Amino acid sequence: MKRHLILLSVAVALVFGLLAVPALAQDRPDLLIWADRTRTPPLTELAAAFGEEFGVTVEVQEIAMGDIRANLSVVGPTGEGPDIIVAAHDWIGELVINGAVTPIDLGDAAEMFTPGSLSLFTYNGEIYGMPYAAENVAFFRNSELVPDAPATWDDVRAITEELVDGGAADYGYIIQTADFYHFHPILSAFGGYIFGTAGGGAYDPTDVGVDSEGAVAAATWLEGMAVDGFIPPAIDYDVMHTLFERGDAAMIVTGPWALPRIRESGVPYAISNIPAGPAGPGMPLIGGQGFMLSAYSENQLLAESFLLDYVATDEAMQALYDADPRPPAFIPTLEKLNDPDLAAFQAAGEVGIPQPSIPEMSSVWGSAQTAMQLVIQGDQPAADAFADAAEQIRTLIAGGEVETVRMTPAGDPPPADGPQSVSIPGTVNSAIGCGGDWDPACEDAQLAYVANSDVWMGTFLLPAGDYEYKVALDGAWTENYGGMADRDGPNVALSVAEEGAVMFVYDHKSHWVADSVNHVIASVPGNYQAAIGCAADWSPDCLRSWLQDPDGDGVYTLSVTLPAGDYEGKVAYNLSWDENYGADGARDGANLTFSVPAEGVVTFSFDPASHVLTIAVGG
């Protein structure tokens, strides 16, 4: 009998020996797994088979990937947390330092995984996860528009100019506005880097390279593309892929996770290596996903046995691959795949470098992505934006605080018939860099006017605490709003449970101010948005379709006047497609359809509790 099968017998015996524990613990399954919605279905089938064979209760709980890491250290110590988590390799440093995960002994099974994937999950000489996928991005091109793979980023620029100037496509190469992960291949091609390396090749967090000469050169290339109109000023993952899949954009950088939708779209495509730059090949970051054991688990032997006996099999790994086709880390599954696209990704990854898993990496993403956004949207020169980002990263690594973090553009010129400035004076002010509180003229408390949305916005990093604020116009208290969109109304109370980014949005038409803690920041993107003044349809970041709740009854509404026609729409949260709701309140559900027989008012009503959107035509 295999060692882990023996341990399994012991673990099951231990589980059954816990029948005298308090009632609260009895309600908890013997084995609890946290996974995102992509991995939940195949793991649920495995869990059911495992539980039936060994007479234990196993539950797979769907948790958003971005919430798994944050919640583990919070819920784990209570005894209600998971035994196993689906995790990204770059979480290891932070989780190990927090004491949240424990090493896993793969034993003989280690030989079944690619050496590269095991190295991703190794920290201080110990393996902290069982990998199941190792991945990197590559260069996609529309093979009809761009028959030959560009060798350099200068070639990418030249091809873009030719396609756009000739009218063959709206865009050549495009990139997400704030995605440093996908920008890294360009950064490296120009000689930039995130962290330098110390002895033995380990990353050195004291050597931050985001403002290095090569990094600034890469940012300057990006700036030139944006200034000349070749890169859209506000684009997320979904919009980038939609433009590529419709043939409106010819070149993107993305990963194997995008293959299902690209294949389904029918767009002709080819995958190649990342173009080179003055410093050499563009180097993608190599990342991995796998399973980690919670240090808080009381059933670690049972959890380890589930992984080694039920997940470390070709059948299980194939099921995980079928659910989300990423290059398998499990050698038997990898070897039997005959997929030229995956082979192209592997070729592109041969020059890749491991994405840093040191804890200091968590200080990089926000500042670097904000720098990208500022450059693309023309709000700050490339050299200044990346210098500021590097300084913020060094400050955060040193344990200092970055006074103000803005995640919205600096702003567009406001309409002449409205306020020329809008601020959020209150006790939040000193926390975001003002010299004192309740100062409507404080520069750091100003919101930005966004013409595409016709609202004023600002996103700031706030420490945990209880605050109050209002909205003041034109740097004075002469005209101010609080309460339920009331002029001279009461202060708005804001309680921030833990440090994080808080978005503030003010609509001068309704005088409503909302923050992302007290309210849902939700819009209704659809194929009607251009008709109400948005730059494009299906834009979750256009808040002309913002759902508002100024009366505080918990129902968010939007009324617009539309011409006759057939339309579709759904609800999106926080200006992106990451969380969206469609028919019957289903997450990622189908679009809701509606018809307008003659020009008239359409009213959208949304209940955040049920996530149900209702549409009344003529109401």
Side-chain angles (χ1 to χ4, degrees):
M1 180 181 288
K2 295 180 181 178
R3 182 190 65 85
H4 44 276
L5 283 175
I6 297 174
L7 291 177
L8 176 59
S9 300
V10 175
V12 171
L14 288 173
V15 168
F16 285 119
L18 295 176
L19 296 178
V21 297
L24 179 63
Q26 288 181 355
D27 295 335
R28 187 191 184 284
D30 300 321
L31 195 62
L32 179 60
I33 303 166
W34 278 3
D36 67 345
R37 69 176 183 271
T38 302
R39 260 70 60 160
T40 292
L43 288 175
T44 298
E45 293 185 13
L46 291 171
F50 181 82
E52 182 178 353
E53 180 171 353
F54 294 101
V56 294
T57 57
V58 187
E59 178 182 344
V60 182
Q61 195 171 81
E62 182 180 321
I63 305 288
M65 195 70 173
D67 294 333
I68 291 176
R69 172 173 51 174
N71 290 338
L72 177 61
S73 298
V74 176
V75 181
T78 69
E80 299 301 311
D83 302 286
I84 298 172
I85 62 171
V86 175
H89 89 279
D90 57 307
W91 300 357
I92 291 178
E94 177 184 333
L95 293 177
V96 170
I97 286 179
N98 290 341
V101 293
T102 189
I104 181 171
D105 182 4
L106 295 178
D108 295 341
E111 299 176 359
M112 307 297 284
F113 296 90
T114 61
S117 66
L118 289 176
S119 69
L120 290 173
F121 284 87
T122 301
Y123 188 84
N124 289 339
E126 294 193 275
I127 296 176
Y128 280 88
M130 189 182 82
Y132 90 85
E135 61 200 15
N136 55 269
V137 297
F139 192 83
F140 277 69
R141 69 185 193 277
N142 182 311
S143 54
E144 289 184 354
L145 296 173
V146 187
D148 301 316
T152 68
W153 286 104
D154 285 344
D155 293 340
V156 171
R157 161 98 193 196
I159 293 169
T160 295
E161 292 178 352
E162 181 180 350
L163 290 172
V164 175
D165 292 346
D170 293 337
Y171 300 101
Y173 170 76
I174 58 173
I175 187 173
Q176 297 171 74
T177 308
D179 192 330
F180 188 66
Y181 175 82
H182 287 81
F183 179 63
H184 183 271
I186 305 177
L187 186 90
S188 61
F190 282 82
Y193 60 96
I194 301 173
F195 295 119
T197 54
Y203 285 113
D204 178 7
T206 66
D207 181 6
V208 176
V210 173
D211 59 347
S212 63
E213 182 178 351
V216 172
T220 301
W221 182 90
L222 185 68
E223 181 179 39
M225 291 283 286
V227 167
D228 291 338
F230 295 132
I231 292 179
I235 184 171
D236 62 13
Y237 176 87
D238 190 73
V239 172
M240 180 183 77
H241 277 278
T242 298
L243 290 173
F244 180 75
E245 291 152 13
R246 291 194 317 214
D248 295 330
M251 298 170 283
I252 60 174
V253 169
T254 193
W257 50 83
L259 281 173
R261 64 175 291 170
I262 290 176
R263 288 167 170 170
E264 185 178 349
S265 75
V267 66
Y269 71 91
I271 306 172
S272 56
N273 293 354
I274 304 292
M283 297 183 288
L285 293 171
I286 307 296
Q289 295 192 342
F291 302 89
M292 296 185 193
L293 299 178
S294 168
Y296 309 107
S297 170
E298 296 182 358
N299 291 325
Q300 290 182 3
L301 291 177
L302 187 65
E304 188 174 287
S305 297
F306 172 73
L307 293 179
L308 294 174
D309 289 307
Y310 269 74
V311 180
T313 66
D314 183 40
E315 294 78 13
M317 292 296 181
Q318 183 66 49
L320 287 166
Y321 172 82
D322 291 341
D324 187 27
R326 302 170 187 247
F330 195 66
I331 293 174
T333 307
L334 178 65
E335 288 181 341
K336 76 174 188 179
L337 292 177
N338 183 22
D339 190 330
D341 287 344
L342 291 187
F345 274 108
Q346 287 183 293
E350 288 178 0
V351 296
I353 59 174
Q355 182 175 313
S357 60
I358 57 177
E360 291 82 0
M361 189 63 196
S362 63
S363 299
V364 172
W365 298 116
S367 297
Q369 290 175 171
T370 299
M372 282 184 63
Q373 184 166 332
L374 292 171
V375 169
I376 290 175
Q377 295 179 333
D379 296 316
Q380 197 173 6
D384 294 347
F386 275 69
D388 288 350
E391 186 58 32
Q392 290 174 356
I393 293 166
R394 294 185 183 103
T395 299
L396 291 169
I397 290 174
E401 294 184 359
V402 178
E403 289 186 347
T404 304
V405 177
R406 287 181 176 272
M407 300 178 182
T408 51
D412 303 308
D417 59 353
Q420 297 305 291
S421 68
V422 173
S423 62
I424 49 165
T427 58
V428 298
N429 291 163
S430 56
I432 61 176
C434 297
D437 289 332
W438 298 106
D439 179 6
C442 171
E443 183 68 24
D444 288 328
Q446 303 297 313
L447 304 183
Y449 178 71
V450 182
N452 186 48
S453 293
D454 194 24
V455 297
W456 296 78
M457 302 174 60
T459 303
F460 306 92
L461 185 69
L462 285 177
D466 294 323
Y467 303 95
E468 292 182 295
Y469 71 91
K470 298 181 74 172
V471 161
L473 310 187
D474 294 320
W477 286 108
T478 307
E479 186 175 355
N480 68 85
Y481 296 91
M484 300 296 179
D486 303 318
R487 184 163 183 169
D488 301 316
N491 302 334
V492 180
L494 171 64
S495 182
V496 179
E498 60 182 34
E499 182 178 70
V502 179
M503 181 190 303
F504 297 84
V505 187
Y506 170 71
D507 185 348
H508 189 60
K509 300 181 294 298
S510 64
H511 303 305
W512 191 51
V513 59
D515 61 73
S516 56
V517 174
N518 288 320
H519 309 98
V520 170
I521 307 297
S523 59
V524 188
N527 65 347
Y528 71 93
Q529 285 179 289
I532 63 171
C534 292
D537 288 333
W538 297 107
S539 300
D541 59 338
C542 179
L543 293 187
R544 291 177 185 268
S545 58
W546 183 24
L547 292 156
Q548 301 183 23
D549 182 25
D551 60 6
D553 66 355
V555 177
Y556 290 70
T557 62
L558 164 72
S559 293
V560 297
T561 300
L562 294 178
D566 296 323
Y567 299 98
E568 294 180 85
K570 64 194 309 188
V571 172
Y573 278 16
N574 299 321
L575 284 68
S576 80
W577 288 111
D578 291 347
E579 183 176 356
N580 68 84
Y581 299 94
D584 300 320
R587 183 159 183 173
D588 302 316
N591 299 336
L592 286 87
T593 60
F594 60 100
S595 296
V596 180
E599 181 175 324
V601 176
V602 177
T603 300
F604 302 87
S605 299
F606 178 65
D607 179 2
S610 64
H611 301 128
V612 170
L613 176 70
T614 57
I615 305 173
V617 178

